Amino acid sequence: MDVDVIVVGAGLAGLVAAVEAARAGRSVLVLDQEPEQNLGAQAHWSFGGLFLVDTPEQRRLGIRDSVELAWHDWLGTAAFDRDTDDWARRWAEAYVHFAAGEKRAWLRGLGHRVFPLVYWAERGGGDARGHGNTVPRFHITWGTGPGVVAPFAARAVASARFLFRHRVDQLVVESGAVVGVRGTILEPSDAPRGVATSRVAAGEFEHRAQAVIVASGGLGGDPALVRANWPARLGTPPEHLISGVPAHVDGRMLAITEAAGGRVVNADRMWHYTEGLRNWDPVWPDHGIRILPAPSPLWLDATGRRLPAPYFPGFDTLGTLTHLRATGYDHSWFILNQRIIEKEFALSGSEQNPDLTGRSVPGVVQRVRPGPPAPVAAFMRHGEDFVIAPTLPELVDGMRKLVPEVPLSLPAIQETVEARDREAANPFGKDAQLTAVRATRRYIVDRVQRVAAPHRLLDPKAGPLIAVRLNLLTRKTLGGLQTDLSARVLGPAGQPVPGLYAAGEVAGFGGGGMHGYASLEGTFLGGCLFTGRVAGREAAAAVA
């Protein structure tokens, strides 16, 4: 054997697994098809949000949370209903206890810190027993995605051997056990982080180990694979998709591991966003950025019809996606104004939040001052999805020019906006979205930093008016390789494949789909951390 443990993938899950295996005294080799500058993979680009339960940050803000409440929310969101959900449900329960227990202290011991304000993502579908977070649980890493990656990258580089531009094409199986990997050495690349790299072969390799951990990520960078796995319950597969992840998130290792005896389950479960913007300064092909929406924008479908309750911005990602797919179009619209965009618009991703990523206190303070954040202002100036106008007729005319093939009725949109504005001028009212906005502002973080006070969209003092075309944005694979609670990959009959482990998105973040049908947010990075930790420790323990 060349080494004790091979890790396939140098993203967050792979780095955590490598650190844990090396800490146990095992020799570790990490292989990745991308160049060294992509260390950390998708996690580097993330906002750094983490699902944590009953934390000091929550308690200081008056949030009463518990492992029981979090588990209730998880079950209502996951809606487990398949035979293949047995291991997924076990992983989910273990993860919720981890998030309510040692997760924060473990990360803190590695130098990780969170921003003191806790945010309320994925507020739910309106049923107390169903989807969504009952309380705010979204803790932002001080340093965003790079701040999550850094402690593990430094330790992994110091304790493991790395071979970049090594693409695994096959798992070596002998006598039913995985004993190594074979693949292609790709030509060197100095492309910047995230930029698509060459697939020109420069050689071949084979390496052997007593344990192989697959931590290669999902398939969101391959739109053909996304469409091939698109479930009927979400409607027809979209013709137009923008990509929330780099091109190297290609899903190759799912089929490669399946060919070696692993079992892929819940491939039809996925997590994509409806609030995508085409990046005006793209890094990878069809690069999209997600709006992190607060609840005030008026949401219209492509034909100008208002979305029904509970499909408000920031409430029910997949419910909204399902509704919009039924319209037959791949885009929708936000209508808002300057006052709302200044307070409510944020963009996901480390590069879109330089203040948090750079740990700049003065930069963060700027967020509560007049004017939109600088990255949002840049999209308003350069982004192709924005229409800005002083009056509603001019705004609708701009929307028509942006998407001329879909008719929009000015009288119908005007009636919708005026009806909404009439309710905004009344402290009572029956508009469900405005009721939700008022309820949201009871939380101090939302009231002070995140959610504008209800007001008329057509109020000239709040203008100009803004329309934003929203695109469908790929993001996460919720299914994947089925694993037991030791992160061992299971075969078709449910037996562990000797020598084979999986962690992160390729494992559906544990068990082949610990999220079930939907996510509570902040659980993707956390899933990489948790499964990587388990896989590294268990693989190390199994090595003789």
Side-chain angles (χ1 to χ4, degrees):
M1 297 293 175
D2 298 351
V3 292
D4 296 324
V5 178
I6 289 174
V7 178
V8 181
L12 181 59
L15 293 174
V16 175
V19 168
E20 291 294 333
R23 192 173 67 87
R26 305 301 182 231
S27 58
V28 180
L29 173 63
V30 182
L31 304 172
D32 197 283
Q33 65 182 352
E34 293 305 301
E36 183 177 2
Q37 50 269 33
N38 279 283
L39 187 69
Q42 292 182 66
H44 171 89
W45 297 100
S46 74
F47 193 35
L50 294 173
F51 175 93
L52 294 167
V53 177
D54 192 22
T55 63
E57 290 78 19
Q58 287 176 299
R59 293 192 291 272
R60 278 195 293 268
L61 291 165
I63 299 166
R64 292 182 294 177
D65 201 5
S66 68
V67 67
E68 294 80 14
L69 182 59
W71 182 232
H72 169 84
D73 287 348
W74 195 290
L75 288 177
T77 297
F80 295 121
D81 63 355
R82 297 175 177 174
D83 293 341
T84 54
D85 286 335
D86 179 34
W87 284 110
R89 182 181 173 124
R90 295 189 209 183
W91 270 98
E93 187 169 12
Y95 176 71
V96 170
H97 280 84
F98 176 64
E102 62 180 310
K103 179 180 177 182
R104 182 182 181 277
W106 173 61
L107 290 172
R108 192 170 179 84
L110 296 171
H112 176 274
R113 296 292 184 270
V114 296
F115 191 61
L117 303 183
V118 184
Y119 294 89
W120 200 349
E122 205 64 13
R123 297 167 193 251
D127 183 349
R129 300 165 299 173
H131 169 66
N133 285 294
T134 299
V135 298
R137 297 190 176 104
F138 193 75
H139 295 68
I140 298 172
T141 298
W142 188 232
T144 67
V148 179
V149 171
F152 299 99
R155 288 168 173 81
V157 168
S159 59
R161 180 186 174 204
F162 282 76
L163 291 176
F164 295 98
R165 302 299 281 160
H166 280 58
R167 185 186 69 196
V168 172
D169 300 322
Q170 181 184 5
L171 298 178
V172 180
V173 181
E174 294 179 354
S175 302
V178 172
V179 297
V181 298
R182 294 191 185 102
T184 303
I185 301 173
L186 303 174
E187 68 176 358
S189 173
D190 59 0
R193 180 188 288 273
V195 172
T197 57
S198 162
R199 291 295 179 260
V200 174
E204 298 177 345
F205 69 88
E206 177 173 330
H207 293 286
R208 296 194 167 225
Q210 296 183 63
V212 174
I213 302 172
V214 178
S216 53
L219 52 77
D222 185 336
L225 274 179
V226 171
R227 294 187 184 98
N229 288 286
W230 192 272
R233 68 180 176 277
L234 294 182
T236 57
E239 180 181 353
H240 303 101
L241 285 166
I242 58 176
S243 182
V245 295
H248 62 73
V249 185
D250 55 20
R252 291 180 68 254
M253 287 303 301
L254 286 164
I256 290 168
T257 308
E258 195 170 29
R263 184 187 189 193
V264 175
V265 297
N266 301 317
D268 64 323
R269 292 179 180 170
M270 52 185 68
W271 185 259
H272 307 302
Y273 292 112
T274 53
E275 315 97 337
L277 300 174
R278 292 189 176 275
N279 195 343
W280 64 272
D281 188 20
V283 177
W284 54 79
D286 294 317
H287 188 173
I289 298 294
R290 187 204 174 198
I291 299 168
L292 298 172
S296 297
L298 186 67
W299 204 336
L300 308 179
D301 69 19
T303 66
R305 292 172 296 188
R306 188 180 185 183
L307 271 60
Y311 303 135
F312 312 136
F315 276 68
D316 185 352
T317 294
L318 291 191
T320 306
L321 174 60
T322 303
H323 176 84
L324 290 174
R325 293 310 304 137
T327 69
Y329 296 97
D330 294 343
H331 72 280
S332 60
W333 296 96
F334 275 170
I335 291 183
L336 61 157
N337 56 33
Q338 184 74 14
R339 185 180 297 171
I340 292 173
I341 205 168
E342 286 186 5
K343 188 151 189 176
E344 298 200 5
F345 256 44
L347 302 174
S348 184
S350 55
E351 82 284 11
Q352 300 298 329
N353 294 274
D355 51 351
L356 292 165
T357 302
R359 299 181 174 94
S360 169
V361 173
V364 171
V365 170
Q366 289 290 334
R367 291 182 178 240
V368 298
R369 293 177 177 168
V376 174
F379 268 88
M380 293 173 68
R381 290 192 303 271
H382 306 297
E384 64 182 80
D385 296 310
F386 282 77
V387 179
I388 302 173
T391 67
L392 190 60
E394 291 170 287
L395 188 77
V396 173
D397 185 56
M399 295 162 67
R400 289 169 175 158
K401 289 176 180 177
L402 191 59
V403 191
E405 63 272 20
V406 183
L408 288 172
S409 166
L410 173 60
I413 292 175
Q414 183 142 3
E415 181 182 6
T416 298
V417 173
E418 289 177 348
R420 181 258 180 215
D421 277 7
R422 184 168 55 249
E423 297 282 309
N426 193 319
F428 301 97
K430 60 186 176 182
D431 186 280
Q433 182 177 2
L434 288 171
T435 298
V437 170
R438 292 184 175 107
T440 297
R441 282 176 52 84
R442 293 173 59 190
Y443 177 43
I444 187 171
V445 173
D446 282 339
R447 184 172 66 253
V448 172
Q449 191 193 30
R450 194 77 175 94
V451 182
H455 63 278
R456 293 187 303 114
L457 289 175
L458 299 180
D459 182 352
K461 297 178 181 177
L465 291 168
I466 301 164
V468 185
R469 179 180 59 184
L470 306 174
N471 306 276
L472 300 182
L473 176 77
T474 67
R475 186 68 100 213
K476 291 297 179 186
T477 309
L478 298 187
L481 298 169
Q482 191 173 42
T483 56
D484 65 12
L485 286 179
S486 295
R488 298 180 298 180
V489 175
L490 303 179
Q495 79 288 358
V497 178
L500 185 58
Y501 300 78
E505 190 174 351
V506 74
F509 303 93
M514 76 166 185
H515 295 94
Y517 287 95
S519 166
L520 288 172
E521 290 286 18
T523 57
F524 300 140
L525 290 176
C528 290
L529 293 167
F530 187 48
T531 57
R533 189 171 96 141
V534 171
R537 291 180 177 184
E538 294 292 336
V543 170

